[in-house]
């Protein structure tokens, strides 16, 4: 089972505010954090499952390098790790050792995987090396880059929340996704982005019953962030929300779909850094 949402980040600039998000095209990378499988573990995987090995034979440079090169959509996979240590001892090295292969360099020399918090990896026990770890560090890299490059085009970050059954016998058992999981994810996002940089769906909803109703009722109004800050960000938390025409009339630079049951997974950072979360929770 997977749950995903999108963070939408951009420093405001006078010219950028005149361009709607549906009027731009962006270059993105898939599994942007992916740094590849270590050589000996990959050799062992090729023997065990050549097809899987072929699909996993790729890697990306750092997030900062990708942003410098013009990438504006990033994808980050996260697993909950409430107590810490859940993914600290993957089976890949064990299997490689059983196959008589020498050990690869350690993937976590600083013990980050032993600490609580969301971890960034592709496939537990098999494809677990990342160019940013943990999740908060990935967000910090993007935030710092954004602050250092005012006026850049929007950055979309697709965050895929993962759980499921163990991939290997004796391997890590991912934590199931619950409301508490998303509250914890919300807290991690807030630990990176300040409250003054955020705007929430309830701010947009105001006195209206739903966000959908608020957006349709205010289709001709530009909704700005508190304290008359120069950038704006909105969320349309619905259910299929409003028509593209209504969105364009309201000059919304971004539109999200967020089922009612996802209302707790929602905070939208905005302002000096414009950060927005688009959540999608398939059944």
């Amino acid at each position: 089972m997977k749950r995903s949402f999108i963070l939408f980040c951009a420093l405001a600039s006078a010219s950028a505010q005149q361009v709607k998000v549906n009027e731009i095209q962006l270059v993105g990378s898939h599994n942007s954090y992916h740094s590849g499988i270590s050589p000996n573990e990959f050799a062992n995987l090729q023997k065990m499952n050549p097809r899987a090995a072929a699909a996993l034979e790729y890697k990306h440079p750092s997030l900062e390098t990708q942003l410098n090169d013009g990438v504006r959509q990033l994808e980050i996979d996260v697993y909950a790790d409430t107590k810490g240590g859940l993914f600290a001892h993957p089976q890949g090295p064990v299997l490689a050792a059983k196959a008589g292969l020498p050990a690869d360099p350690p993937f976590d020399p600083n013990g980050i995987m032993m600490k609580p918090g969301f971890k960034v990896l592709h496939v537990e026990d098999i494809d677990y090396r990342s160019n940013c770890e943990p999740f908060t560090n990935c967000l910090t890299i993007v935030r710092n880059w954004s602050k250092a490059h005012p006026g850049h085009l929007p950055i979309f970050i697709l965050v895929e929340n993962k759980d499921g059954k163990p991939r290997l016998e004796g391997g890590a058992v991912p934590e199931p996704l619950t409301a508490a999981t998303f509250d914890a994810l919300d807290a991690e996002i807030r630990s990176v982005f300040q409250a003054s940089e955020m705007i929430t769906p309830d701010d947009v909803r105001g006195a209206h019953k739903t966000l959908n109703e608020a957006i349709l009722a205010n289709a001709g109004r530009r909704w700005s962030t508190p304290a008359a800050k120069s950038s704006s960000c909105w969320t349309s938390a619905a259910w299929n929300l409003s028509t593209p025409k209504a969105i364009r009339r309201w000059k919304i630079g971004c539109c999200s779909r967020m089922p009612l049951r996802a209302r707790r997974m929602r905070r939208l950072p905005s302002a000096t850094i414009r950060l927005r979360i688009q959540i999608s929770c398939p059944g």
Side-chain angles (χ1 to χ4, degrees):
M1 183 186 297
K2 294 185 285 189
R3 299 288 188 273
S4 62
F5 63 80
I6 291 174
L7 306 181
F8 174 67
C9 317
L11 285 175
S13 70
S15 58
Q17 290 183 34
Q18 305 305 315
V19 180
K20 303 180 183 68
V21 74
N22 63 313
E23 296 174 340
I24 60 174
Q25 292 183 344
L26 303 172
V27 174
S29 59
H30 174 64
N31 293 339
S32 310
Y33 58 88
H34 194 262
S35 59
I37 302 175
S38 57
N40 291 316
E41 290 177 46
F42 185 77
N44 188 48
L45 181 61
Q46 282 183 309
K47 294 179 181 179
M48 295 173 58
N49 191 333
R51 186 174 179 180
L56 299 175
E57 192 177 10
Y58 68 95
K59 61 182 179 180
H60 295 299
S62 68
L63 297 186
E64 184 177 24
T65 297
Q66 292 181 60
L67 291 169
N68 286 337
D69 289 343
V71 170
R72 292 295 179 268
Q73 177 171 310
L74 303 172
E75 182 188 18
I76 300 175
D77 295 343
V78 298
Y79 287 82
D81 187 9
T82 305
K83 297 180 180 179
L86 183 58
F87 306 102
H89 306 289
Q91 290 295 300
V94 176
L95 296 175
K98 288 181 178 179
L101 296 170
D104 290 304
F107 82 105
D108 183 33
N110 298 319
I112 293 174
M113 303 300 280
M114 291 301 297
K115 300 176 182 179
F118 286 85
K119 303 304 189 301
V120 177
L121 58 146
H122 187 218
V123 181
E124 69 276 12
D125 289 297
I126 300 170
D127 188 12
Y128 51 84
R129 292 177 183 256
S130 171
N131 61 31
C132 62
E133 196 73 73
F135 176 56
T136 50
N137 183 47
C138 301
L139 294 183
T140 300
I141 291 169
V142 175
R143 185 177 189 269
N144 290 343
W145 187 93
S146 183
K147 280 185 168 292
H149 297 81
H152 65 77
L153 283 174
I155 299 171
F156 290 81
I157 307 177
L158 171 64
V159 179
E160 184 175 306
N161 304 275
K162 290 189 168 185
D163 61 1
K165 297 179 180 179
R167 303 281 182 160
L168 297 173
E169 184 178 350
V173 181
E175 295 182 16
L177 299 175
T178 65
T181 306
F182 287 100
D183 282 343
L185 189 62
D186 179 270
E188 290 209 358
I189 293 169
R190 286 178 169 270
S191 74
V192 175
F193 295 94
Q194 301 173 11
S196 61
E197 297 169 338
M198 298 189 202
I199 206 169
T200 67
D202 284 343
D203 294 325
V204 180
R205 183 175 61 84
H208 291 278
K209 193 172 183 180
T210 65
L211 282 170
N212 186 46
E213 178 183 299
I215 289 170
L216 292 176
N218 294 282
R221 170 177 171 250
R222 184 183 181 93
W223 197 91
S224 299
T225 60
K229 294 179 180 175
S230 59
S231 68
S232 319
C233 195
W234 309 264
T235 136
S236 351
W239 311 242
N240 279 338
L241 225 84
S242 53
T243 65
K245 184 177 180 181
I247 293 170
R248 284 197 298 273
R249 284 202 310 268
W250 204 44
K251 297 183 180 178
I252 294 184
C254 42
C255 170
S256 71
R257 289 186 173 85
M258 190 184 312
L260 276 170
R261 66 179 181 277
R263 287 278 319 257
R264 296 241 351 166
M265 319 166 200
R266 74 230 152 185
R267 324 293 191 213
L268 304 218
S270 178
T272 357
I273 277 192
R274 210 154 139 224
L275 169 77
R276 133 166 136 84
I277 304 175
Q278 175 174 329
I279 303 175
S280 137
C281 295

Short mmCIF file of all heavy atoms in Angstrom, two decimals, residues 63-91:
data_model
loop_
_atom_site.label_atom_id
_atom_site.label_comp_id
_atom_site.label_asym_id
_atom_site.label_seq_id
_atom_site.Cartn_x
_atom_site.Cartn_y
_atom_site.Cartn_z
N LEU A 63 20.68 15.75 -4.38
CA LEU A 63 19.53 16.61 -4.68
C LEU A 63 20.00 18.00 -5.10
O LEU A 63 19.44 18.61 -6.02
CB LEU A 63 18.62 16.72 -3.46
CG LEU A 63 17.96 15.44 -2.96
CD1 LEU A 63 16.97 15.77 -1.84
CD2 LEU A 63 17.27 14.69 -4.08
N GLU A 64 21.01 18.52 -4.42
CA GLU A 64 21.52 19.84 -4.74
C GLU A 64 22.06 19.89 -6.18
O GLU A 64 21.80 20.85 -6.92
CB GLU A 64 22.62 20.24 -3.76
CG GLU A 64 23.14 21.66 -3.97
CD GLU A 64 24.18 22.05 -2.94
OE1 GLU A 64 24.82 21.14 -2.37
OE2 GLU A 64 24.35 23.24 -2.70
N THR A 65 22.78 18.85 -6.57
CA THR A 65 23.30 18.80 -7.94
C THR A 65 22.17 18.74 -8.95
O THR A 65 22.20 19.42 -9.99
CB THR A 65 24.22 17.58 -8.11
OG1 THR A 65 25.35 17.72 -7.26
CG2 THR A 65 24.70 17.45 -9.55
N GLN A 66 21.15 17.96 -8.65
CA GLN A 66 20.01 17.87 -9.55
C GLN A 66 19.31 19.23 -9.69
O GLN A 66 18.97 19.65 -10.81
CB GLN A 66 19.01 16.83 -9.05
CG GLN A 66 19.54 15.40 -9.12
CD GLN A 66 18.52 14.39 -8.64
OE1 GLN A 66 17.42 14.28 -9.20
NE2 GLN A 66 18.86 13.65 -7.60
N LEU A 67 19.14 19.92 -8.59
CA LEU A 67 18.51 21.24 -8.65
C LEU A 67 19.40 22.22 -9.42
O LEU A 67 18.89 23.03 -10.21
CB LEU A 67 18.25 21.75 -7.23
CG LEU A 67 17.18 20.99 -6.45
CD1 LEU A 67 17.19 21.41 -4.98
CD2 LEU A 67 15.79 21.21 -7.05
N ASN A 68 20.69 22.15 -9.21
CA ASN A 68 21.61 23.01 -9.97
C ASN A 68 21.54 22.74 -11.46
O ASN A 68 21.74 23.64 -12.29
CB ASN A 68 23.05 22.80 -9.49
CG ASN A 68 23.31 23.44 -8.13
OD1 ASN A 68 22.61 24.37 -7.73
ND2 ASN A 68 24.31 22.94 -7.43
N ASP A 69 21.26 21.48 -11.82
CA ASP A 69 21.19 21.09 -13.22
C ASP A 69 19.83 21.36 -13.86
O ASP A 69 19.63 21.05 -15.03
CB ASP A 69 21.54 19.61 -13.37
CG ASP A 69 23.02 19.33 -13.12
OD1 ASP A 69 23.82 20.29 -13.16
OD2 ASP A 69 23.37 18.16 -12.89
N GLY A 70 18.89 21.89 -13.07
CA GLY A 70 17.60 22.27 -13.63
C GLY A 70 16.43 21.38 -13.29
O GLY A 70 15.31 21.63 -13.74
N VAL A 71 16.65 20.33 -12.51
CA VAL A 71 15.54 19.47 -12.11
C VAL A 71 14.61 20.25 -11.19
O VAL A 71 15.07 20.91 -10.25
CB VAL A 71 16.06 18.20 -11.40
CG1 VAL A 71 14.92 17.42 -10.76
CG2 VAL A 71 16.82 17.31 -12.37
N ARG A 72 13.32 20.18 -11.44
CA ARG A 72 12.36 20.92 -10.61
C ARG A 72 11.24 20.02 -10.08
O ARG A 72 10.27 20.50 -9.51
CB ARG A 72 11.76 22.10 -11.40
CG ARG A 72 12.78 23.19 -11.69
CD ARG A 72 13.27 23.86 -10.42
NE ARG A 72 14.26 24.89 -10.69
CZ ARG A 72 15.58 24.68 -10.70
NH1 ARG A 72 16.06 23.47 -10.45
NH2 ARG A 72 16.41 25.67 -10.96
N GLN A 73 11.34 18.73 -10.32
CA GLN A 73 10.45 17.80 -9.65
C GLN A 73 11.28 16.68 -9.06
O GLN A 73 12.06 16.03 -9.76
CB GLN A 73 9.39 17.21 -10.59
CG GLN A 73 8.52 16.17 -9.87
CD GLN A 73 7.34 15.72 -10.68
OE1 GLN A 73 6.59 16.53 -11.20
NE2 GLN A 73 7.18 14.41 -10.80
N LEU A 74 11.13 16.46 -7.77
CA LEU A 74 11.85 15.43 -7.06
C LEU A 74 10.87 14.42 -6.49
O LEU A 74 9.73 14.77 -6.17
CB LEU A 74 12.67 16.03 -5.91
CG LEU A 74 13.68 17.13 -6.30
CD1 LEU A 74 14.25 17.77 -5.04
CD2 LEU A 74 14.79 16.57 -7.17
N GLU A 75 11.31 13.20 -6.37
CA GLU A 75 10.48 12.16 -5.74
C GLU A 75 11.26 11.55 -4.59
O GLU A 75 12.43 11.17 -4.76
CB GLU A 75 10.09 11.08 -6.73
CG GLU A 75 9.19 10.02 -6.09
CD GLU A 75 8.94 8.82 -6.99
OE1 GLU A 75 9.70 8.63 -7.96
OE2 GLU A 75 8.00 8.08 -6.69
N ILE A 76 10.62 11.46 -3.44
CA ILE A 76 11.27 10.91 -2.26
C ILE A 76 10.35 9.86 -1.64
O ILE A 76 9.19 10.14 -1.34
CB ILE A 76 11.57 12.02 -1.22
CG1 ILE A 76 12.48 13.08 -1.83
CG2 ILE A 76 12.20 11.42 0.03
CD1 ILE A 76 12.72 14.27 -0.94
N ASP A 77 10.86 8.65 -1.47
CA ASP A 77 10.10 7.57 -0.82
C ASP A 77 10.45 7.55 0.66
O ASP A 77 11.64 7.61 1.03
CB ASP A 77 10.47 6.21 -1.43
CG ASP A 77 10.05 6.10 -2.88
OD1 ASP A 77 9.24 6.91 -3.34
OD2 ASP A 77 10.57 5.20 -3.57
N VAL A 78 9.45 7.44 1.50
CA VAL A 78 9.71 7.43 2.94
C VAL A 78 9.03 6.24 3.62
O VAL A 78 7.95 5.80 3.21
CB VAL A 78 9.25 8.74 3.62
CG1 VAL A 78 10.03 9.93 3.07
CG2 VAL A 78 7.76 8.98 3.47
N TYR A 79 9.69 5.74 4.63
CA TYR A 79 9.15 4.70 5.50
C TYR A 79 9.16 5.24 6.93
O TYR A 79 10.13 5.85 7.37
CB TYR A 79 10.03 3.45 5.48
CG TYR A 79 9.96 2.62 4.22
CD1 TYR A 79 10.71 2.97 3.10
CD2 TYR A 79 9.20 1.46 4.17
CE1 TYR A 79 10.69 2.20 1.96
CE2 TYR A 79 9.17 0.67 3.03
CZ TYR A 79 9.91 1.04 1.93
OH TYR A 79 9.89 0.27 0.80
N ALA A 80 8.10 4.97 7.65
CA ALA A 80 8.06 5.35 9.06
C ALA A 80 9.03 4.47 9.85
O ALA A 80 9.19 3.28 9.57
CB ALA A 80 6.64 5.19 9.61
N ASP A 81 9.65 5.07 10.84
CA ASP A 81 10.58 4.34 11.72
C ASP A 81 10.47 4.98 13.10
O ASP A 81 11.34 5.73 13.52
CB ASP A 81 12.00 4.43 11.16
CG ASP A 81 13.00 3.57 11.93
OD1 ASP A 81 12.55 2.77 12.78
OD2 ASP A 81 14.21 3.71 11.69
N THR A 82 9.40 4.65 13.77
CA THR A 82 9.02 5.33 15.01
C THR A 82 10.08 5.23 16.10
O THR A 82 10.39 6.21 16.78
CB THR A 82 7.69 4.76 15.54
OG1 THR A 82 6.70 4.86 14.51
CG2 THR A 82 7.23 5.54 16.76
N LYS A 83 10.65 4.05 16.27
CA LYS A 83 11.60 3.84 17.35
C LYS A 83 13.05 3.97 16.89
O LYS A 83 13.95 4.10 17.72
CB LYS A 83 11.39 2.45 17.97
CG LYS A 83 10.02 2.28 18.63
CD LYS A 83 9.87 0.89 19.21
CE LYS A 83 8.51 0.72 19.87
NZ LYS A 83 8.35 -0.66 20.42
N GLY A 84 13.28 3.93 15.60
CA GLY A 84 14.64 3.94 15.08
C GLY A 84 15.20 2.54 14.96
O GLY A 84 14.82 1.63 15.70
N GLY A 85 16.09 2.34 14.01
CA GLY A 85 16.75 1.05 13.87
C GLY A 85 16.05 0.05 12.98
O GLY A 85 16.60 -1.03 12.72
N LEU A 86 14.84 0.36 12.51
CA LEU A 86 14.07 -0.61 11.73
C LEU A 86 14.79 -1.01 10.45
O LEU A 86 14.72 -2.17 10.02
CB LEU A 86 12.69 -0.03 11.41
CG LEU A 86 11.72 -0.93 10.66
CD1 LEU A 86 11.47 -2.23 11.41
CD2 LEU A 86 10.39 -0.21 10.41
N PHE A 87 15.50 -0.07 9.85
CA PHE A 87 16.18 -0.35 8.58
C PHE A 87 17.71 -0.25 8.71
O PHE A 87 18.41 -0.10 7.71
CB PHE A 87 15.69 0.63 7.51
CG PHE A 87 14.19 0.64 7.36
CD1 PHE A 87 13.42 1.66 7.91
CD2 PHE A 87 13.55 -0.38 6.69
CE1 PHE A 87 12.05 1.66 7.78
CE2 PHE A 87 12.17 -0.40 6.55
CZ PHE A 87 11.41 0.62 7.11
N ALA A 88 18.18 -0.37 9.93
CA ALA A 88 19.62 -0.18 10.19
C ALA A 88 20.46 -1.40 9.83
O ALA A 88 21.68 -1.28 9.65
CB ALA A 88 19.83 0.18 11.66
N HIS A 89 19.83 -2.57 9.71
CA HIS A 89 20.59 -3.81 9.47
C HIS A 89 19.96 -4.56 8.30
O HIS A 89 19.34 -5.62 8.48
CB HIS A 89 20.61 -4.67 10.73
CG HIS A 89 21.11 -3.95 11.94
ND1 HIS A 89 22.44 -3.60 12.09
CD2 HIS A 89 20.47 -3.47 13.04
CE1 HIS A 89 22.61 -2.96 13.24
NE2 HIS A 89 21.43 -2.86 13.83
N PRO A 90 20.14 -4.07 7.08
CA PRO A 90 19.52 -4.71 5.92
C PRO A 90 20.09 -6.09 5.62
O PRO A 90 21.23 -6.41 6.00
CB PRO A 90 19.82 -3.72 4.78
CG PRO A 90 21.03 -2.98 5.24
CD PRO A 90 20.91 -2.87 6.73
N GLN A 91 19.30 -6.88 4.91
CA GLN A 91 19.70 -8.25 4.60
C GLN A 91 20.66 -8.33 3.40
O GLN A 91 21.29 -9.36 3.20
CB GLN A 91 18.45 -9.09 4.30
CG GLN A 91 17.59 -9.36 5.52
CD GLN A 91 18.31 -10.22 6.54
OE1 GLN A 91 18.72 -11.34 6.24
NE2 GLN A 91 18.49 -9.70 7.74
#
